[in-house]
Amino acid sequence: MKKTFPRSAIGTATLSLLALASAAAQAQAPAPTLKEITVTGNPLGATDLMAPATQYSGAGLLLRSKTTLGETLDGTPGVSSTYFGPNASRPVIRGLDGDRIRILANGGGSLDASSLSYDHAVTADPISIERIEVLRGPGALLYGGSAVGGVVNVIDNRIPREPQWGEQGGISGKADLSLASGNSERGKGVLLEGGNQRYSLHVDAFDRHTGDVKVPRDLNCTKAGVTTRSRRICNSASEVSGGAVGGSVFFDNGYLGASASNYRSTYGTVAEDEVTIAMKSNRYAIEGEVRNLGGPFQSIKGQYSQTDYGHTEFEGATAGTVFKNKGSDFRLEARHAKLGRLDGVLGFQAESNRFSADGSEAFAPYSKTTQSAVFAYEELGTDWGKLSLGGRLESVEVASFGNPRVARFTPASKDFAPGSYALGALWNAAPSWQLTSNIAYTERAPKDYELFADGPHIATAAYEVGNAGLKKEESGNLDVGAAWKSGGHSFKVNSYVSRFKNYIALNQTAGVTRNAEDGTVNPVEDTGNPGFTAAGAEFKPLAEFRYEQVRARFTGIEASGNIRLLEGASQVDLALRADVVRATNLSNGQPLPRIAPWRVGASLLLASGPWGTSLGFDHNAAQKRVPAPPVGATGAYTLWNAAASYRVKAGAATLLWYARLDNLTDRLAYSASSVLTSTAFPKAPLPGRSLKVGLQASF
């Protein structure tokens, strides 16, 4: 019996052509539907959300899937990408990135080293994901200070939460095959699930190989001392594989499940022509829920995960710096019985991780971070809508243990007690209108590298120096939104402002360089031997960057909409999207770096029976609002894309054939939100024209 994954209530107004194309086929063969679970936007599972959110799932996610999580979500209103080439990118939400964006796995902690450096990949590959939920704006109330900018929840069904079959049991699955021309991609994945009303088992595996990515202009590539030129991003090939096993046991009022997953990736870092990263991550999770308890609590849900992450940076065939991050996350939520119209949850969360780096680029010391928190979220229903109120109190300890092989790191420990509070309102102003507002005060504890870093970071051409005197990062946030829907027509807009009292920024120290080998400052050069110190040692200069606290402000607008042009046997929609964000360092009046320019886009979507087609564009304006000197300025560009899909029954299986053409005009473009563009010689442009074709078979 086939299993389907429903469209979440927090879905974007931008429609997927594949979702449109599949509607007719699904209507012909009804299938049981899983209970909807809104993990990210609201712990109460409400369909009306006050915070702006977007979700991608099923065929819609398949269509937009790229090789990284950041590129998969790029173009969503309010979301851009750090784009460190095709193999490493994190989502940027409303101009905020790194440890201000929390990436979750099924609502629980996801541990890697992607926030530490732009060239470190996220251990979540779009080929294995079943749904992604994006919460734009502060999510610190439920997920901690590292979610002050937003939350990205990567959801799979490795721990099933609901029975999917009747007493007779059943089995379902899907298989994916894909090929792409721009990066010579060869991808495949398989998923199988089976069970009955009392148990469910899950197994999945995926594998993808890519070559160097084609671009519209010639680039230099230097390997083994030989420089060549070609229209490919040097050292951008990758190999990714992974899989998982999991399952759940169901009882009358709940479930208990567990999963074990692994992720492996080897990829070029693109900033250095001969440096590759070999990454591995093993994650183990257990989750359960008891419902219909009666008494003071309706239900209690618990999650625990443990992750063992590590990667080695190779220089050619020689192993270089080794990064490791091991940790655990525990989360407990109790939904209390309704008190009149008041509904809510109380929660506790505890996290712990140990980090280490050994090698020539160990720019942060061995460290341990432990944090615990209590939180509460309440909603009050009214005749006109609802109100929400919540708070979170945390205790964070960040300890540096130095490094037995590096003398410059000093052992130290810092304690913080962040607190976050939020108030929201939703007003059903008219049958087709909803108005929302959210006010939040958030605090974030500094991370280990922000406090204690002291070393070379070659990938970003920086020598980073932490600041043990950093205080909690404090911000006030206001979001106001309006949404309208009438039949196939819809529109949504949100405006926001976030003001930071003491934003933690990594600022370049004017006129100061450091030796990448030993960290010495501005050595005196031997005029007869440029590039060497007076003592005759080679000097490899890196600009010094220090973590400092400044006043900052982020303001922006996000909008999306859909116009139903034709209704009937064939359906035609025009999907619209736009956003703009301005970020300013109020301490010096300069713009903050790596902020996406204003963007607009549109897609014409046609669905007719089993067919779906689309044609669209995304225009990025020039970004000249950059810190002085304006090295990171980028030009305007427009990227066109097209796609087609065809769904057909083949016995007990459903086949979905699809094709997607990206950057069909082969336009040369550089991302304004990428650190690779913030140099005098931009290293990696966005990919050129690429055709991707694939087949997904499900049963």
Side-chain angles (χ1 to χ4, degrees), residues 48-62:
D48 292 327
L49 296 179
M50 301 179 205
T54 302
Q55 78 91 25
Y56 299 104
S57 62
L61 176 59
L62 178 68

Side-chain angles (χ1 to χ4, degrees), residues 486-634:
S486 178
H489 306 294
S490 62
F491 179 73
K492 184 182 295 184
V493 62
N494 285 86
S495 61
Y496 60 89
V497 58
S498 297
R499 193 179 183 99
F500 289 79
K501 176 182 177 181
N502 46 10
Y503 180 84
I504 300 175
L506 183 59
N507 294 327
Q508 184 173 350
T509 308
V512 178
T513 59
R514 296 262 196 156
N515 189 352
E517 295 296 327
D518 57 16
T520 54
V521 179
N522 290 333
V524 178
E525 293 186 357
D526 183 339
T527 56
N529 295 281
F532 288 81
T533 66
E538 184 178 2
F539 174 51
K540 299 179 179 179
L542 291 175
E544 181 187 270
F545 285 76
R546 289 182 174 270
Y547 286 98
E548 302 170 339
Q549 293 193 287
V550 301
R551 294 182 298 113
R553 182 183 63 228
F554 293 75
T555 59
I557 300 175
E558 306 153 352
S560 62
N562 189 76
I563 302 173
R564 180 64 50 82
L565 301 176
L566 179 65
E567 183 85 66
S570 296
Q571 187 171 297
V572 180
D573 289 89
L574 179 63
L576 306 170
R577 52 197 173 270
D579 61 19
V580 62
V581 58
R582 290 175 66 90
T584 304
N585 180 339
L586 298 177
S587 295
N588 61 14
Q590 291 284 319
L592 287 170
R594 297 180 298 280
I595 302 298
W598 63 263
R599 307 180 301 177
V600 296
S603 297
L604 188 65
L605 311 172
L606 167 66
S608 181
W611 284 96
T613 59
S614 76
L615 176 66
F617 73 89
D618 288 282
H619 175 77
N620 285 243
Q623 181 56 288
K624 299 180 180 179
R625 194 174 184 273
V626 295
V631 175
T634 55

Side-chain angles (χ1 to χ4, degrees), residues 17-144:
L17 77 96
L18 289 179
L20 292 172
S22 65
Q26 291 182 354
Q28 296 171 7
T33 301
L34 292 179
K35 177 182 176 182
E36 289 204 19
I37 302 173
T38 304
V39 179
T40 313
N42 191 315
L44 304 178
T47 56
D48 292 327
L49 296 179
M50 301 179 205
T54 302
Q55 78 91 25
Y56 299 104
S57 62
L61 176 59
L62 178 68
L63 178 68
R64 68 180 298 122
S65 178
K66 302 289 184 67
T67 53
T68 65
L69 183 63
E71 293 306 294
T72 295
L73 298 177
D74 188 22
T76 301
V79 183
S80 54
S81 165
T82 57
Y83 187 68
F84 202 92
N87 301 318
S89 73
R90 276 180 130 253
V92 179
I93 301 179
R94 295 182 169 181
L96 297 170
D97 62 9
D99 271 298
R100 298 180 185 89
I101 305 300
R102 187 70 189 268
I103 297 178
L104 304 174
N106 300 303
S110 176
L111 186 68
D112 53 33
S114 62
S115 62
L116 181 70
S117 176
Y118 294 112
D119 63 323
H120 296 173
V122 177
T123 56
D125 195 278
I127 198 173
S128 65
I129 297 170
E130 296 199 11
R131 186 164 86 248
I132 303 176
E133 295 179 352
V134 183
L135 181 68
R136 304 190 303 276
L141 181 65
L142 296 176
Y143 302 106

Side-chain angles (χ1 to χ4, degrees), residues 212-234:
D212 287 346
V213 175
K214 292 181 179 179
V215 291
R217 60 166 291 182
D218 286 340
L219 300 175
N220 286 337
C221 184
T222 303
K223 293 188 176 182
V226 178
T227 299
T228 58
R229 289 182 64 82
S230 70
R231 291 198 169 191
R232 292 185 180 272
I233 300 176
C234 182

Side-chain angles (χ1 to χ4, degrees), residues 332-646:
L332 186 68
E333 291 182 3
R335 183 171 182 172
H336 65 70
K338 283 191 175 183
L339 303 173
R341 291 189 172 186
L342 188 67
D343 195 5
V345 297
L346 307 175
F348 171 79
Q349 187 171 10
E351 299 178 76
S352 176
N353 75 282
R354 284 182 172 271
F355 169 83
S356 66
D358 290 294
S360 60
E361 291 187 51
F363 61 92
Y366 288 19
S367 65
K368 180 180 181 181
T369 300
T370 57
Q371 51 189 323
S372 58
V374 292
F375 59 89
Y377 177 84
E378 301 289 333
E379 282 189 359
L380 177 66
T382 69
D383 293 335
W384 48 266
K386 60 183 178 180
L387 294 170
S388 70
L389 174 67
R392 181 185 179 100
L393 297 175
E394 300 181 63
S395 175
V396 182
E397 181 182 2
V398 186
S400 165
F401 303 131
N403 187 312
R405 301 174 181 83
V406 181
R408 62 178 176 269
F409 295 118
T410 302
S413 180
K414 300 285 292 184
D415 295 312
F416 303 93
S420 300
Y421 313 93
L423 175 66
L426 182 148
W427 178 29
N428 294 310
S432 298
W433 283 92
Q434 277 189 347
L435 304 179
T436 58
S437 64
N438 296 276
I439 301 174
Y441 169 79
T442 64
E443 294 182 342
R444 180 179 75 91
K447 302 298 291 185
D448 50 352
Y449 59 89
E450 294 172 327
L451 293 165
F452 306 123
D454 188 355
H457 197 176
I458 307 300
T460 57
Y463 191 99
E464 296 186 12
V465 180
N467 182 352
L470 294 176
K471 301 181 182 301
K472 291 181 298 184
E473 188 178 74
E474 304 173 39
S475 65
N477 311 271
L478 172 65
D479 181 288
V480 178
W484 168 81
K485 181 175 177 59
S486 178
H489 306 294
S490 62
F491 179 73
K492 184 182 295 184
V493 62
N494 285 86
S495 61
Y496 60 89
V497 58
S498 297
R499 193 179 183 99
F500 289 79
K501 176 182 177 181
N502 46 10
Y503 180 84
I504 300 175
L506 183 59
N507 294 327
Q508 184 173 350
T509 308
V512 178
T513 59
R514 296 262 196 156
N515 189 352
E517 295 296 327
D518 57 16
T520 54
V521 179
N522 290 333
V524 178
E525 293 186 357
D526 183 339
T527 56
N529 295 281
F532 288 81
T533 66
E538 184 178 2
F539 174 51
K540 299 179 179 179
L542 291 175
E544 181 187 270
F545 285 76
R546 289 182 174 270
Y547 286 98
E548 302 170 339
Q549 293 193 287
V550 301
R551 294 182 298 113
R553 182 183 63 228
F554 293 75
T555 59
I557 300 175
E558 306 153 352
S560 62
N562 189 76
I563 302 173
R564 180 64 50 82
L565 301 176
L566 179 65
E567 183 85 66
S570 296
Q571 187 171 297
V572 180
D573 289 89
L574 179 63
L576 306 170
R577 52 197 173 270
D579 61 19
V580 62
V581 58
R582 290 175 66 90
T584 304
N585 180 339
L586 298 177
S587 295
N588 61 14
Q590 291 284 319
L592 287 170
R594 297 180 298 280
I595 302 298
W598 63 263
R599 307 180 301 177
V600 296
S603 297
L604 188 65
L605 311 172
L606 167 66
S608 181
W611 284 96
T613 59
S614 76
L615 176 66
F617 73 89
D618 288 282
H619 175 77
N620 285 243
Q623 181 56 288
K624 299 180 180 179
R625 194 174 184 273
V626 295
V631 175
T634 55
Y637 60 88
T638 301
L639 301 181
W640 287 84
N641 57 80
S645 68
Y646 180 73

Side-chain angles (χ1 to χ4, degrees), residues 62-63 65-67 125-128 175-181 183-190 206-210 656-660 690-697:
L62 178 68
L63 178 68
S65 178
K66 302 289 184 67
T67 53
D125 195 278
I127 198 173
S128 65
D176 293 284
L177 294 173
S178 62
L179 306 172
S181 63
N183 59 356
S184 302
E185 178 180 341
R186 303 293 184 269
K188 53 186 178 293
V190 62
F206 61 90
D207 180 86
R208 188 185 66 242
H209 296 257
T210 68
L656 176 63
W657 300 87
Y658 65 94
R660 187 184 74 212
S690 179
L691 174 64
K692 182 175 182 177
V693 295
L695 169 64
Q696 182 181 91

